[in-house]
Amino acid sequence: MVRIQSLQQSANIAKLPRAEGAAYNDWLRQHEDYCLQHTRVELRKQIIDWCEDPNSKCIFWLNGMAGTGKSTIARTIALELAEKKRLAASFFFTRGKKDISHSRMFFTTIAAQLANSLPVLRASISDAIDNNADIFQQGLREQWNQLILNPLKSAPTQSIQLVVVIDALDECDSMQDIQLILQLIEEAKDLDTVRIKIFLTGRPEIPILDGFRQLSGEAYQDFILHSIPLDTVNGDISTFFRQKLSLLKVKHGLGTPWPDELIIEQLVERAAGLFIYAATTLRFIRDGIDGPEEQLSLILNTTKSPLLATEHLDGIYTTLLQHSVLGKRGYQQCEELAQRFREVVGSIVVIFNNMPARNLAQLLQIPSKMVSRTLDSLRSVLDVPENESQPVRLFHLSFRDFLHNPQRCSNPRFQIDEKERHTSLFRKCMEHISRLQENICNLWGPGILITEIPADTIQKSIPPHVQYACRYWFDHWRLGNPVEKNLKTIRQFLEQHFLHWLEGLSLIGEVSNGAHMIITLEEILSVSFNAHEFI
């Protein structure tokens, strides 16, 4: 009987939707950095002391502006806690990645990890799933109460203190969800037997600031990362450059001294306290086509000592784009390369779900080799996996912010018009959807269950780029410029391909999202256009 109950619990826990890429040690994050051994020492000690102090506040909010190293610290803290058997769960929000850019799987993912890290909760979480058949479709509050808070309250009496690590809450795509999550996790402060603390990072943006203002001062403490004395931060950045450049020197057999003390000082000065500058500079030196010595010289010969920290970062972004994309090519070739950059990289910047290069090429309907050539020159700012089945992504959102802002990206060849890119992707999505036909998977009869269709059949009939088009055409239209000239395309889609699209959505399990798209489309049309005339 006990074994049967255990198997049933395991089966229920396995039903919990898990967001891919959420955990600090997820395989998608295996190449992301941790803090070097002798960096961030005092801050890491302060956080670990907070974790272990039974009288400390429930929430520790580490906040700081973009590029100050919040995510690297969060990964390092999660690793240290895991080694001490004190990590309850982790969730790393990332804008632009499907499962971890929103909160729909947030609490179910946390609950699944809790069931593994704290086995005494398995029975209660399993019972919650049995007693609430539609819990996975319910709101955040119900999921928090049923899957996490109540199981923690009913846990067998024992004094346990664990930590949940939540990184980049500001990258959750809903302001209301951000504030609701903060309200809910505050309730963990009243737990007795199993005490859960939350270590949370995020930029001090309005949704998070407003959310914390609604909490009691007894619930949280905060630490402003960019308030650390610049000398301390510079010492850590100096250590970073010394260690990483020393490894490059050995790898390439470079002579001594390289780099000398003056070079290290110049690099640290240019970083202006931003770890993202240091990391981007290193990748530019390491991965450039001209070798580390030449790449380093190129960095040092750019404009010196701008006044603002963002200008330091903007300077290196401008330098690497000019060098890596255009080089010393002629005017006409530069124009062609810049146009391809805006198309390929601009799509990566605004796309809703990162995808491998070959799928991106299929979505954009351009040769795969052309996409690969564009990406290969930009490994300083883009994570381009050697494994072609893995998605291409930005190393840091500051690069996206730079490309979107004409005041920061002064060269118009590299500026990305966000609305124009969304509109272009909307049209590409419509072209792919228009090719769908009735009975997409050539099924053998009516009434077939989705579970009866082999996954590879669906994947072959609706490849990833077409799945993306079915799922996100509406979002690109909404965030682009939904001018009246695009209404003809939508009308044609609804008249000729609506049922094909609906069939495609059902095969990939996205029918509910399709219904939401149509409802929202009608709302937008009723406000912005003559919906009655359109219909």
Side-chain angles (χ1 to χ4, degrees):
M1 176 63 79
V2 173
R3 177 168 174 77
I4 293 175
Q5 289 178 337
S6 177
L7 290 174
Q8 181 61 47
Q9 290 171 11
S10 297
N12 279 342
I13 298 300
K15 295 177 185 177
L16 287 166
R18 294 167 172 82
E20 184 180 25
Y24 84 96
N25 59 347
D26 190 279
W27 68 276
L28 287 176
R29 299 184 179 277
Q30 59 186 312
H31 300 301
E32 295 182 354
D33 290 331
Y34 293 88
C35 294
L36 296 177
Q37 184 176 1
H38 299 296
T39 62
R40 304 293 203 181
V41 175
E42 289 301 318
L43 175 58
R44 286 157 57 188
K45 182 180 183 303
Q46 181 176 341
I47 297 169
I48 294 298
D49 288 345
W50 163 82
C51 294
E52 296 179 346
D53 182 0
N55 299 314
S56 62
K57 295 182 179 180
C58 176
I59 300 171
F60 189 114
W61 176 31
L62 179 68
N63 73 79
M65 63 183 184
T68 48
K70 299 182 296 297
S71 292
T72 302
I73 294 170
R75 277 192 298 276
T76 305
I77 293 298
L79 175 62
E80 292 184 28
L81 291 171
E83 291 174 344
K84 296 173 180 286
K85 308 297 183 185
R86 301 290 294 279
L87 181 68
S90 60
F91 197 104
F92 281 58
F93 283 100
T94 306
R95 188 171 293 137
K97 284 194 174 182
K98 184 177 179 182
D99 291 345
I100 51 180
S101 64
H102 55 74
S103 65
R104 284 190 287 278
M105 298 185 192
F106 177 66
F107 283 132
T108 57
T109 300
I110 297 294
Q113 294 182 41
L114 273 174
N116 290 327
S117 60
L118 202 56
V120 296
L121 300 180
R122 294 178 67 85
S124 298
I125 295 175
S126 176
D127 289 344
I129 297 171
D130 277 334
N131 298 331
N132 299 271
D134 61 345
I135 187 65
F136 306 144
Q137 282 73 49
Q138 293 180 11
L140 291 175
R141 185 177 301 278
E142 289 75 17
Q143 291 184 358
W144 162 257
N145 286 330
Q146 300 300 324
L147 296 174
I148 299 177
L149 188 62
N150 291 343
L152 286 170
K153 286 181 177 179
S154 62
T157 303
Q158 52 182 309
S159 180
I160 300 177
Q161 186 164 277
L162 298 175
V163 181
V164 174
V165 175
I166 304 171
D167 180 60
L169 182 59
D170 57 288
E171 294 186 30
C172 177
D173 62 10
S174 168
M175 178 187 304
Q176 290 78 13
D177 288 355
I178 289 173
Q179 295 176 356
L180 179 56
I181 286 171
L182 289 173
Q183 292 172 24
L184 294 173
I185 62 176
E186 181 192 19
E187 297 175 3
K189 74 181 189 303
D190 299 321
L191 292 169
D192 295 323
T193 55
V194 179
R195 191 177 183 204
I196 293 293
K197 292 184 174 182
I198 294 92
F199 175 70
L200 185 150
T201 77
R203 299 189 214 185
E205 296 182 348
I206 297 301
I208 294 186
L209 289 172
D210 286 346
F212 273 106
R213 289 189 186 111
Q214 297 174 36
L215 305 187
S216 68
E218 298 177 355
Y220 75 95
Q221 67 184 72
D222 62 354
F223 186 96
I224 302 174
L225 191 54
H226 49 267
S227 69
I228 296 176
L230 186 59
D231 287 347
T232 302
V233 179
N234 283 346
D236 290 341
I237 293 177
S238 176
T239 299
F240 173 85
F241 277 126
R242 290 176 194 280
Q243 292 192 21
K244 297 297 186 179
L245 293 178
S246 293
L247 293 175
L248 274 182
K249 179 170 68 174
V250 172
K251 179 179 178 180
H252 292 273
L254 302 177
T256 302
W258 189 90
D260 60 29
E261 287 299 314
L262 179 59
I263 287 176
I264 295 292
E265 290 176 6
Q266 288 178 308
L267 291 174
V268 171
E269 179 185 359
R270 289 163 181 266
L274 293 179
F275 276 85
I276 184 57
Y277 178 99
T280 305
T281 298
L282 176 72
R283 288 192 296 269
F284 183 72
I285 296 170
R286 183 190 64 200
D287 301 331
I289 58 176
D290 293 331
E293 291 178 299
E294 290 77 6
Q295 296 286 114
L296 177 58
S297 295
L298 188 63
I299 290 292
L300 296 176
N301 288 332
T302 57
T303 304
K304 298 181 180 180
S305 301
L307 297 177
L308 300 175
T310 55
E311 293 182 3
H312 288 253
L313 189 58
D314 296 348
I316 191 172
Y317 282 152
T318 300
T319 297
L320 70 87
L321 288 178
Q322 180 68 37
H323 179 73
S324 301
V325 177
L326 305 181
K328 299 179 181 179
R329 299 175 176 90
Y331 175 82
Q332 184 60 39
Q333 193 174 9
C334 282
E335 289 300 306
E336 294 172 359
L337 290 171
Q339 181 178 353
R340 183 64 64 204
F341 169 86
R342 292 192 297 272
E343 182 175 17
V344 174
V345 178
S347 297
I348 293 172
V349 164
V350 305
I351 211 163
F352 293 103
N353 191 23
N354 295 331
M355 58 180 64
R358 64 169 179 261
N359 298 138
L360 179 65
Q362 291 169 319
L363 178 66
L364 298 178
Q365 300 179 36
I366 57 179
S368 182
K369 289 184 178 179
M370 192 171 292
V371 171
S372 296
R373 283 199 295 268
T374 301
L375 298 179
D376 283 343
S377 64
L378 293 167
R379 293 178 181 268
S380 301
V381 288
L382 298 176
D383 181 7
V384 186
E386 296 299 328
N387 185 341
E388 294 182 352
S389 66
Q390 300 306 311
V392 178
R393 62 183 182 86
L394 302 179
F395 272 119
H396 199 268
L397 287 177
S398 61
F399 184 55
R400 183 203 64 183
D401 297 340
F402 165 77
L403 295 175
H404 282 334
N405 190 334
Q407 280 70 47
R408 295 180 59 188
C409 181
S410 57
N411 189 334
R413 284 173 166 166
F414 302 127
Q415 292 170 7
I416 303 299
D417 185 323
E418 192 170 4
K419 287 184 178 293
E420 186 277 329
R421 272 290 88 215
H422 279 299
T423 300
S424 177
L425 284 167
F426 157 71
R427 291 171 181 159
K428 294 293 183 183
C429 289
M430 285 288 99
E431 291 176 18
H432 290 297
I433 293 174
S434 68
R435 298 190 183 100
L436 294 175
Q437 300 294 324
E438 185 179 353
N439 195 9
I440 299 169
C441 291
N442 296 315
L443 302 179
W444 50 92
I448 302 298
L449 296 175
I450 296 296
T451 53
E452 297 179 67
I453 307 172
D456 58 346
T457 298
I458 296 176
Q459 194 74 2
K460 182 178 179 181
S461 303
I462 315 177
H465 67 285
V466 180
Q467 293 187 26
Y468 181 91
C470 289
R471 176 63 185 87
Y472 293 109
W473 68 266
F474 172 76
D475 294 304
H476 285 303
W477 176 78
R478 178 175 56 86
L479 293 174
N481 191 10
V483 293
E484 294 192 38
K485 66 180 180 181
N486 287 326
L487 296 184
K488 181 180 179 180
T489 302
I490 294 179
R491 185 200 300 271
Q492 184 178 13
F493 153 70
L494 292 174
E495 291 176 346
Q496 300 178 12
H497 302 288
F498 177 76
L499 291 180
H500 304 149
W501 170 66
L502 197 60
E503 180 183 346
L505 287 179
S506 69
L507 290 168
I508 62 175
E510 294 283 358
V511 169
S512 60
N513 283 322
H516 177 72
M517 282 185 249
I518 295 302
I519 292 170
T520 310
L521 172 63
E522 184 178 11
E523 292 173 351
I524 293 175
L525 291 174
S526 67
V527 173
S528 303
F529 306 104
N530 189 334
H532 177 73
E533 182 178 324
F534 175 81
I535 293 172

